[in-house]
Amino acid sequence: MDWVISTNGPGLYEFTDEVRARVSGTGVLTLFVQHTSCSLLIQENADPEVRDDMQAFFERLVPPSDHPTMSYLRHTYEGPDDMPAHIKAAMLPVSLSIPVVDGRLQLGTWQGIYLFEHRAMAHRRRVVGMLR
Amino acid sequence: MDWVISTNGPGLYEFTDEVRARVSGTGVLTLFVQHTSCSLLIQENADPEVRDDMQAFFERLVPPSDHPTMSYLRHTYEGPDDMPAHIKAAMLPVSLSIPVVDGRLQLGTWQGIYLFEHRAMAHRRRVVGMLR
Amino acid sequence: MDWVISTNGPGLYEFTDEVRARVSGTGVLTLFVQHTSCSLLIQENADPEVRDDMQAFFERLVPPSDHPTMSYLRHTYEGPDDMPAHIKAAMLPVSLSIPVVDGRLQLGTWQGIYLFEHRAMAHRRRVVGMLR
């Protein structure tokens, strides 16, 4: 079971419905993203401003490597957004474990599942899933 | 299997014993918190100052939205502690996976299981568990 | 199934091959580190500068407790690197869930598995694994 999420710049891309459509039975669903410059995230799916603010915060916490405060970074040849993307990918989940009962994801009322893209260029991101 | 943890302001609420009391058999215990403004955390359960320092650090890393450095935030109508709570909930675990052998959680000597509340108001937080 | 990783100061210690050598069958591999001052991490295993930059970032985000900006910390008697180590251990994964198919870890091309040591002194770190 896997999903490919096309991204077009930094931000949160929801794929809760795509996950829901593929899940049946009871067990724990593991989602695992096979990249080191984007993340998985469970977050509020009500107000889109939450997603904008989320990205704005992490952009400030880990600025591009050409920002004056980041001059100590050495891995810069893949672009100013690359090393910060790896750092964000370390801070935010690479895997999620979600209980499923009778085919229903046990998410809270306001929880959605997101791919959090950290790179500027368009990417196709692969998420592997397994229910056990 | 689930737990409801009553919180009364920001901080770490231990519920290791409550988890231990409900676990039997062998497998991986998944804990999943059904909210987007609190977190799960495994941390030192010896010195209470560790918990105070932990909260103090995250309070400074993600200040309330009425703090001058946070003026870029837009999702502010649910109170100055709301958007920072979502950000902390993104940075800290929403799910934990803990091996269990013959009913014993495979925690290290100093590890305890906590609900990390990020909101100021009292809340009842629901954690879903599944052993597989 | 467990691994002991000897560390000799802060930084990323890869043990992908050691994990690969012990995994067979199909399921989800849970890795769980039994300590509160180091972390698990999945990160790029190509350019070693990524690991150096990673550590440099977190060293600046959470400076030693004798740094002027950290004077609010109270849990300081185990050394200036101790409380920052607990904070980093909260921000970075204590557990990882990795799908395995026919004995093959479903890692992406550039993903490696690391023990991220946050303490200055040498340590022996224990990681427990379970495939279900």
Side-chain angles (χ1 to χ4, degrees), chain B residues 26-28 42-44 47 49-50 52-54 57-58 60-61 91-92 97 99-100 106 108 111 132, chain C residues 30 32-36 61-62 70 72-75 77 83 86-87 89-91 94-95 97 128 130 132:
Chain B
T26 292
V28 172
I42 288 187
Q43 255 303 312
E44 166 160 331
D47 181 351
E49 291 187 341
V50 170
D52 296 342
D53 285 355
M54 190 70 71
F57 174 82
F58 284 102
R60 280 160 177 80
L61 186 65
M91 300 180 73
L92 296 164
S97 302
V100 176
Q106 300 299 291
Q111 289 181 315
R132 307 297 282 188
Chain C
T30 298
F32 181 86
V33 66
Q34 293 184 310
H35 307 275
T36 60
L61 186 65
V62 195
M70 301 299 275
Y72 62 90
L73 294 179
R74 295 160 58 205
H75 179 81
Y77 67 88
M83 191 58 222
H86 289 306
I87 294 170
M91 300 180 72
V94 65
S95 65
S97 301
V128 177
M130 197 176 263
R132 307 297 281 186

Side-chain angles (χ1 to χ4, degrees), chain A residues 35-132:
Chain A
H35 307 276
T36 61
S37 56
C38 64
S39 303
L40 296 175
L41 195 60
I42 289 188
Q43 256 303 313
E44 166 160 333
N45 62 359
D47 181 351
E49 290 186 342
V50 170
R51 273 104 80 186
D52 296 343
D53 284 355
M54 190 69 70
Q55 196 210 316
F57 174 83
F58 284 102
E59 184 78 15
R60 281 161 178 78
L61 186 65
V62 196
S65 56
D66 53 7
H67 189 275
T69 61
M70 302 298 276
S71 59
Y72 63 90
L73 294 179
R74 295 159 59 204
H75 180 80
T76 55
Y77 66 88
E78 294 184 62
D81 65 319
D82 182 64
M83 191 57 221
H86 290 307
I87 294 170
K88 290 175 212 166
M91 300 180 73
L92 296 164
V94 66
S95 65
L96 294 171
S97 302
I98 308 172
V100 176
V101 177
D102 294 337
R104 280 173 293 107
L105 293 167
Q106 301 297 292
L107 296 173
T109 312
W110 307 109
Q111 288 181 316
I113 306 172
Y114 295 87
L115 188 290
F116 194 168
E117 178 60 69
H118 306 311
R119 296 299 311 266
M121 272 181 32
H123 279 84
R124 286 167 58 81
R125 302 304 200 170
R126 191 149 179 267
V127 177
V128 178
M130 197 177 264
L131 183 83
R132 307 296 283 187

Side-chain angles (χ1 to χ4, degrees), chain B residues 47-116:
Chain B
D47 181 351
E49 291 187 341
V50 170
R51 273 105 80 186
D52 296 342
D53 285 355
M54 190 70 71
Q55 196 210 316
F57 174 82
F58 284 102
E59 184 78 15
R60 280 160 177 80
L61 186 65
V62 196
S65 57
D66 53 6
H67 189 275
T69 61
M70 301 298 276
S71 59
Y72 63 89
L73 294 180
R74 296 161 58 206
H75 179 81
T76 55
Y77 66 89
E78 294 184 61
D81 65 319
D82 181 65
M83 191 58 220
H86 290 307
I87 294 170
K88 290 175 211 166
M91 300 180 73
L92 296 164
V94 66
S95 65
L96 295 171
S97 302
I98 308 172
V100 176
V101 177
D102 295 337
R104 279 174 293 109
L105 294 166
Q106 300 299 291
L107 296 173
T109 312
W110 307 109
Q111 289 181 315
I113 306 172
Y114 294 88
L115 188 290
F116 195 168

